[in-house]
Short mmCIF file of all heavy atoms in Angstrom, two decimals:
data_model
loop_
_atom_site.label_atom_id
_atom_site.label_comp_id
_atom_site.label_asym_id
_atom_site.label_seq_id
_atom_site.Cartn_x
_atom_site.Cartn_y
_atom_site.Cartn_z
N ILE G 698 129.13 54.16 91.82
CA ILE G 698 128.88 52.78 91.38
C ILE G 698 129.60 52.50 90.06
O ILE G 698 130.23 51.44 89.88
CB ILE G 698 127.36 52.55 91.22
CG1 ILE G 698 126.67 52.65 92.58
CG2 ILE G 698 127.07 51.21 90.56
CD1 ILE G 698 125.15 52.72 92.49
N TRP G 699 129.55 53.45 89.15
CA TRP G 699 130.12 53.28 87.81
C TRP G 699 131.64 53.16 87.88
O TRP G 699 132.25 52.30 87.23
CB TRP G 699 129.69 54.46 86.95
CG TRP G 699 130.01 54.35 85.49
CD1 TRP G 699 129.59 53.38 84.63
CD2 TRP G 699 130.81 55.25 84.73
NE1 TRP G 699 130.07 53.62 83.37
CE2 TRP G 699 130.83 54.77 83.40
CE3 TRP G 699 131.50 56.42 85.03
CZ2 TRP G 699 131.52 55.41 82.38
CZ3 TRP G 699 132.18 57.07 84.03
CH2 TRP G 699 132.19 56.57 82.71
N PHE G 700 132.28 54.01 88.68
CA PHE G 700 133.74 53.94 88.80
C PHE G 700 134.18 52.68 89.56
O PHE G 700 135.24 52.11 89.27
CB PHE G 700 134.28 55.19 89.49
CG PHE G 700 134.56 56.31 88.55
CD1 PHE G 700 133.75 57.43 88.50
CD2 PHE G 700 135.65 56.26 87.69
CE1 PHE G 700 133.99 58.47 87.62
CE2 PHE G 700 135.92 57.30 86.80
CZ PHE G 700 135.09 58.40 86.77
N ALA G 701 133.37 52.23 90.50
CA ALA G 701 133.72 51.01 91.25
C ALA G 701 133.79 49.79 90.35
O ALA G 701 134.51 48.83 90.64
CB ALA G 701 132.70 50.79 92.37
N ALA G 702 133.05 49.82 89.24
CA ALA G 702 133.03 48.69 88.32
C ALA G 702 134.12 48.78 87.25
O ALA G 702 134.23 47.88 86.40
CB ALA G 702 131.65 48.60 87.64
N ALA G 703 134.92 49.84 87.26
CA ALA G 703 135.92 50.06 86.19
C ALA G 703 137.19 49.27 86.45
O ALA G 703 137.69 49.21 87.59
CB ALA G 703 136.24 51.54 86.07
N GLU G 704 137.77 48.69 85.40
CA GLU G 704 139.08 48.04 85.51
C GLU G 704 140.17 49.08 85.69
O GLU G 704 141.14 48.87 86.42
CB GLU G 704 139.35 47.21 84.26
CG GLU G 704 138.42 46.01 84.10
CD GLU G 704 138.75 45.21 82.86
OE1 GLU G 704 139.76 45.55 82.16
OE2 GLU G 704 138.01 44.25 82.57
N ASP G 705 140.02 50.21 84.99
CA ASP G 705 141.00 51.29 85.06
C ASP G 705 140.25 52.60 85.29
O ASP G 705 139.80 53.26 84.34
CB ASP G 705 141.80 51.35 83.77
CG ASP G 705 142.92 52.40 83.81
OD1 ASP G 705 142.86 53.28 84.70
OD2 ASP G 705 143.82 52.34 82.97
N PRO G 706 140.05 53.02 86.56
CA PRO G 706 139.25 54.22 86.86
C PRO G 706 139.78 55.49 86.20
O PRO G 706 138.99 56.35 85.79
CB PRO G 706 139.34 54.31 88.39
CG PRO G 706 139.61 52.92 88.84
CD PRO G 706 140.48 52.32 87.77
N VAL G 707 141.11 55.63 86.06
CA VAL G 707 141.65 56.84 85.45
C VAL G 707 141.29 56.89 83.98
O VAL G 707 140.88 57.95 83.46
CB VAL G 707 143.19 56.92 85.65
CG1 VAL G 707 143.78 58.09 84.86
CG2 VAL G 707 143.52 57.07 87.13
N ARG G 708 141.43 55.76 83.30
CA ARG G 708 141.05 55.73 81.88
C ARG G 708 139.55 56.00 81.74
O ARG G 708 139.12 56.69 80.82
CB ARG G 708 141.41 54.38 81.28
CG ARG G 708 141.12 54.32 79.77
CD ARG G 708 141.68 53.05 79.16
NE ARG G 708 141.07 51.86 79.74
CZ ARG G 708 141.54 50.63 79.61
NH1 ARG G 708 142.66 50.41 78.92
NH2 ARG G 708 140.93 49.61 80.16
N ARG G 709 138.76 55.46 82.66
CA ARG G 709 137.31 55.73 82.61
C ARG G 709 137.02 57.21 82.81
O ARG G 709 136.14 57.79 82.17
CB ARG G 709 136.59 54.88 83.67
CG ARG G 709 135.10 55.17 83.79
CD ARG G 709 134.34 54.01 84.39
NE ARG G 709 134.07 52.98 83.37
CZ ARG G 709 133.21 51.98 83.53
NH1 ARG G 709 132.53 51.85 84.66
NH2 ARG G 709 133.03 51.09 82.58
N ALA G 710 137.76 57.86 83.71
CA ALA G 710 137.57 59.30 83.93
C ALA G 710 137.92 60.09 82.68
O ALA G 710 137.23 61.05 82.30
CB ALA G 710 138.41 59.77 85.11
N ASP G 711 139.01 59.70 82.00
CA ASP G 711 139.38 60.38 80.76
C ASP G 711 138.30 60.20 79.69
O ASP G 711 137.99 61.14 78.95
CB ASP G 711 140.72 59.83 80.25
CG ASP G 711 141.90 60.23 81.14
OD1 ASP G 711 141.75 61.22 81.90
OD2 ASP G 711 142.93 59.54 81.09
N ALA G 712 137.75 58.98 79.60
CA ALA G 712 136.68 58.72 78.64
C ALA G 712 135.45 59.56 78.95
O ALA G 712 134.77 60.08 78.05
CB ALA G 712 136.34 57.23 78.64
N LEU G 713 135.17 59.70 80.26
CA LEU G 713 134.02 60.51 80.67
C LEU G 713 134.19 61.95 80.22
O LEU G 713 133.23 62.57 79.71
CB LEU G 713 133.87 60.43 82.20
CG LEU G 713 132.79 61.30 82.83
CD1 LEU G 713 131.41 60.90 82.34
CD2 LEU G 713 132.85 61.22 84.37
N VAL G 714 135.36 62.50 80.38
CA VAL G 714 135.60 63.90 79.99
C VAL G 714 135.44 64.08 78.49
O VAL G 714 134.81 65.04 78.02
CB VAL G 714 136.99 64.37 80.46
CG1 VAL G 714 137.30 65.74 79.87
CG2 VAL G 714 137.05 64.41 81.97
N ILE G 715 135.99 63.14 77.72
CA ILE G 715 135.83 63.24 76.26
C ILE G 715 134.36 63.19 75.87
O ILE G 715 133.90 63.97 75.02
CB ILE G 715 136.62 62.10 75.57
CG1 ILE G 715 138.13 62.29 75.77
CG2 ILE G 715 136.29 62.04 74.07
CD1 ILE G 715 138.97 61.10 75.32
N ALA G 716 133.63 62.28 76.50
CA ALA G 716 132.19 62.16 76.20
C ALA G 716 131.46 63.45 76.55
O ALA G 716 130.62 63.94 75.77
CB ALA G 716 131.60 60.98 76.96
N LEU G 717 131.77 64.00 77.71
CA LEU G 717 131.09 65.23 78.13
C LEU G 717 131.41 66.39 77.19
O LEU G 717 130.53 67.16 76.79
CB LEU G 717 131.50 65.59 79.55
CG LEU G 717 130.94 64.70 80.68
CD1 LEU G 717 131.66 64.98 82.00
CD2 LEU G 717 129.44 64.93 80.85
N ARG G 718 132.65 66.52 76.81
CA ARG G 718 133.07 67.66 76.00
C ARG G 718 132.63 67.52 74.54
O ARG G 718 132.22 68.51 73.93
CB ARG G 718 134.59 67.80 76.05
CG ARG G 718 135.14 68.33 77.36
CD ARG G 718 136.67 68.20 77.42
NE ARG G 718 137.33 68.86 76.30
CZ ARG G 718 137.70 70.13 76.28
NH1 ARG G 718 137.47 70.91 77.33
NH2 ARG G 718 138.31 70.64 75.21
N GLU G 719 132.72 66.29 73.99
CA GLU G 719 132.61 66.14 72.54
C GLU G 719 131.42 65.32 72.06
O GLU G 719 131.08 65.39 70.88
CB GLU G 719 133.90 65.49 72.01
CG GLU G 719 135.15 66.28 72.35
CD GLU G 719 136.42 65.53 71.98
OE1 GLU G 719 136.32 64.52 71.24
OE2 GLU G 719 137.51 65.94 72.44
N ARG G 720 130.82 64.53 72.92
CA ARG G 720 129.77 63.62 72.45
C ARG G 720 128.38 64.02 72.92
O ARG G 720 127.41 63.30 72.66
CB ARG G 720 130.07 62.19 72.93
CG ARG G 720 131.41 61.65 72.47
CD ARG G 720 131.46 61.36 70.98
NE ARG G 720 132.79 60.97 70.52
CZ ARG G 720 133.25 59.72 70.52
NH1 ARG G 720 132.49 58.73 70.94
NH2 ARG G 720 134.47 59.47 70.08
N LEU G 721 128.27 65.12 73.63
CA LEU G 721 126.95 65.63 74.04
C LEU G 721 126.63 66.87 73.21
O LEU G 721 127.43 67.81 73.15
CB LEU G 721 126.94 65.99 75.53
CG LEU G 721 127.25 64.86 76.51
CD1 LEU G 721 127.12 65.36 77.94
CD2 LEU G 721 126.35 63.65 76.28
N GLY G 722 125.50 66.84 72.54
CA GLY G 722 125.14 67.95 71.66
C GLY G 722 123.90 68.70 72.11
O GLY G 722 122.99 68.13 72.71
N LEU G 723 123.88 69.99 71.86
CA LEU G 723 122.71 70.83 72.11
C LEU G 723 122.47 71.71 70.89
O LEU G 723 123.40 72.00 70.13
CB LEU G 723 122.92 71.74 73.33
CG LEU G 723 123.12 71.09 74.69
CD1 LEU G 723 124.59 71.03 75.04
CD2 LEU G 723 122.35 71.86 75.77
N VAL G 724 121.25 72.14 70.73
CA VAL G 724 120.96 73.17 69.74
C VAL G 724 121.00 74.51 70.48
O VAL G 724 120.22 74.73 71.41
CB VAL G 724 119.58 72.97 69.08
CG1 VAL G 724 119.24 74.18 68.21
CG2 VAL G 724 119.58 71.70 68.24
N GLU G 725 121.94 75.35 70.09
CA GLU G 725 122.07 76.68 70.69
C GLU G 725 121.41 77.70 69.76
O GLU G 725 121.82 77.84 68.61
CB GLU G 725 123.53 77.04 70.91
CG GLU G 725 123.72 78.41 71.55
CD GLU G 725 125.18 78.85 71.52
OE1 GLU G 725 125.67 79.15 70.41
OE2 GLU G 725 125.79 78.90 72.59
N ILE G 726 120.39 78.35 70.28
CA ILE G 726 119.69 79.39 69.52
C ILE G 726 120.07 80.73 70.12
O ILE G 726 119.78 80.98 71.30
CB ILE G 726 118.17 79.19 69.56
CG1 ILE G 726 117.79 77.81 69.00
CG2 ILE G 726 117.45 80.30 68.79
CD1 ILE G 726 116.32 77.44 69.20
N GLN G 727 120.73 81.56 69.34
CA GLN G 727 121.08 82.90 69.82
C GLN G 727 120.18 83.92 69.15
O GLN G 727 120.06 83.97 67.92
CB GLN G 727 122.55 83.21 69.51
CG GLN G 727 123.52 82.50 70.43
CD GLN G 727 124.88 83.18 70.46
OE1 GLN G 727 124.97 84.40 70.28
NE2 GLN G 727 125.93 82.40 70.71
N LEU G 728 119.51 84.71 69.99
CA LEU G 728 118.63 85.74 69.46
C LEU G 728 119.45 86.92 68.94
O LEU G 728 120.53 87.22 69.45
CB LEU G 728 117.67 86.22 70.55
CG LEU G 728 116.79 85.15 71.22
CD1 LEU G 728 115.77 85.82 72.12
CD2 LEU G 728 116.11 84.28 70.18
N GLU G 729 118.88 87.56 67.93
CA GLU G 729 119.52 88.75 67.38
C GLU G 729 118.74 89.98 67.81
O GLU G 729 117.69 89.88 68.47
CB GLU G 729 119.61 88.62 65.86
CG GLU G 729 120.48 87.42 65.45
CD GLU G 729 120.54 87.20 63.96
OE1 GLU G 729 119.65 87.68 63.24
OE2 GLU G 729 121.49 86.52 63.51
N ALA G 730 119.23 91.13 67.47
CA ALA G 730 118.71 92.39 68.02
C ALA G 730 117.21 92.57 67.79
O ALA G 730 116.49 93.09 68.64
CB ALA G 730 119.47 93.57 67.43
N HIS G 731 116.71 92.12 66.63
CA HIS G 731 115.30 92.36 66.31
C HIS G 731 114.38 91.28 66.85
O HIS G 731 113.17 91.37 66.71
CB HIS G 731 115.14 92.46 64.78
CG HIS G 731 115.57 91.21 64.08
ND1 HIS G 731 116.88 90.99 63.73
CD2 HIS G 731 114.86 90.13 63.67
CE1 HIS G 731 116.98 89.81 63.12
NE2 HIS G 731 115.77 89.27 63.08
N ASP G 732 114.92 90.20 67.45
CA ASP G 732 114.08 89.12 67.98
C ASP G 732 113.45 89.53 69.30
O ASP G 732 114.10 90.14 70.17
CB ASP G 732 114.91 87.85 68.19
CG ASP G 732 115.39 87.25 66.87
OD1 ASP G 732 114.62 87.32 65.90
OD2 ASP G 732 116.51 86.73 66.84
N ASP G 733 112.17 89.18 69.50
CA ASP G 733 111.45 89.47 70.73
C ASP G 733 111.59 88.28 71.67
O ASP G 733 110.97 87.23 71.47
CB ASP G 733 109.96 89.74 70.44
CG ASP G 733 109.22 90.27 71.66
OD1 ASP G 733 109.52 89.80 72.78
OD2 ASP G 733 108.34 91.14 71.49
N ALA G 734 112.41 88.44 72.71
CA ALA G 734 112.69 87.33 73.63
C ALA G 734 111.43 86.81 74.31
O ALA G 734 111.27 85.60 74.50
CB ALA G 734 113.70 87.78 74.69
N GLN G 735 110.52 87.71 74.67
CA GLN G 735 109.31 87.28 75.37
C GLN G 735 108.41 86.44 74.46
O GLN G 735 107.88 85.41 74.87
CB GLN G 735 108.53 88.50 75.90
CG GLN G 735 107.24 88.15 76.63
CD GLN G 735 107.49 87.26 77.83
OE1 GLN G 735 108.56 87.29 78.42
NE2 GLN G 735 106.50 86.45 78.18
N VAL G 736 108.24 86.86 73.23
CA VAL G 736 107.42 86.09 72.29
C VAL G 736 107.99 84.70 72.09
O VAL G 736 107.27 83.70 72.07
CB VAL G 736 107.30 86.83 70.94
CG1 VAL G 736 106.67 85.94 69.88
CG2 VAL G 736 106.49 88.11 71.11
N ILE G 737 109.31 84.62 71.96
CA ILE G 737 109.95 83.31 71.77
C ILE G 737 109.79 82.45 73.01
O ILE G 737 109.49 81.26 72.93
CB ILE G 737 111.44 83.50 71.41
CG1 ILE G 737 111.53 84.12 70.01
CG2 ILE G 737 112.21 82.20 71.48
CD1 ILE G 737 112.89 84.63 69.65
N PHE G 738 109.94 83.04 74.19
CA PHE G 738 109.75 82.29 75.44
C PHE G 738 108.34 81.73 75.52
O PHE G 738 108.12 80.56 75.85
CB PHE G 738 110.02 83.22 76.63
CG PHE G 738 109.79 82.55 77.96
CD1 PHE G 738 110.77 81.78 78.54
CD2 PHE G 738 108.58 82.70 78.63
CE1 PHE G 738 110.57 81.16 79.77
CE2 PHE G 738 108.36 82.09 79.85
CZ PHE G 738 109.36 81.32 80.42
N GLU G 739 107.34 82.56 75.20
CA GLU G 739 105.95 82.11 75.25
C GLU G 739 105.68 81.00 74.24
O GLU G 739 105.00 80.02 74.53
CB GLU G 739 105.02 83.29 74.99
CG GLU G 739 105.04 84.34 76.09
CD GLU G 739 104.40 85.64 75.64
OE1 GLU G 739 103.75 85.65 74.59
OE2 GLU G 739 104.57 86.65 76.35
N THR G 740 106.23 81.16 73.05
CA THR G 740 106.01 80.15 72.00
C THR G 740 106.58 78.81 72.43
O THR G 740 105.98 77.76 72.22
CB THR G 740 106.67 80.60 70.69
OG1 THR G 740 106.14 81.87 70.31
CG2 THR G 740 106.41 79.61 69.57
N LEU G 741 107.76 78.83 73.06
CA LEU G 741 108.40 77.59 73.47
C LEU G 741 107.73 76.96 74.69
O LEU G 741 107.77 75.75 74.87
CB LEU G 741 109.87 77.85 73.80
CG LEU G 741 110.78 78.17 72.61
CD1 LEU G 741 112.12 78.68 73.11
CD2 LEU G 741 110.96 76.95 71.73
N ASN G 742 107.09 77.78 75.52
CA ASN G 742 106.64 77.28 76.82
C ASN G 742 105.14 77.29 77.05
O ASN G 742 104.69 76.83 78.09
CB ASN G 742 107.31 78.11 77.94
CG ASN G 742 108.79 77.84 78.01
OD1 ASN G 742 109.19 76.77 78.43
ND2 ASN G 742 109.59 78.79 77.56
N ASP G 743 104.36 77.81 76.13
CA ASP G 743 102.91 77.87 76.35
C ASP G 743 102.17 76.82 75.52
O ASP G 743 100.99 76.94 75.28
CB ASP G 743 102.39 79.28 75.99
CG ASP G 743 100.97 79.49 76.53
OD1 ASP G 743 100.63 78.88 77.55
OD2 ASP G 743 100.21 80.26 75.90
N ARG G 744 102.91 75.81 75.05
CA ARG G 744 102.27 74.82 74.18
C ARG G 744 102.58 73.41 74.66
O ARG G 744 103.45 72.72 74.15
CB ARG G 744 102.73 75.01 72.74
CG ARG G 744 102.27 76.37 72.20
CD ARG G 744 102.71 76.62 70.79
NE ARG G 744 102.31 77.95 70.37
CZ ARG G 744 102.66 78.49 69.22
NH1 ARG G 744 103.40 77.81 68.36
NH2 ARG G 744 102.27 79.70 68.91
N GLY G 745 101.85 72.98 75.68
CA GLY G 745 101.92 71.60 76.10
C GLY G 745 103.10 71.22 76.98
O GLY G 745 103.37 70.05 77.16
#
């Protein structure tokens, strides 16, 4: 539906790629050797 409404579908596809690569953010948490993965999993998932 979105591409059907575009004046220039190729330009829209290029804009989509830029948005996906550069405009979407996540917080990446990397555990280190002394971190307990199970405790962190429970803390994140056992509260509501």
Side-chain angles (χ1 to χ4, degrees):
I698 295 168
W699 189 59
F700 273 107
E704 293 181 4
D705 184 343
V707 172
R708 184 171 61 194
R709 175 157 280 193
D711 291 339
L713 176 62
V714 172
I715 293 171
L717 288 168
R718 287 169 56 88
E719 302 173 13
R720 302 290 174 88
L721 300 183
L723 297 99
V724 172
E725 181 191 70
I726 302 171
Q727 285 201 29
L728 303 188
E729 298 177 339
H731 60 275
D732 292 324
D733 189 322
Q735 179 60 28
V736 169
I737 291 167
F738 178 84
E739 293 165 12
T740 303
L741 290 169
N742 291 289
D743 194 29
R744 296 179 183 174

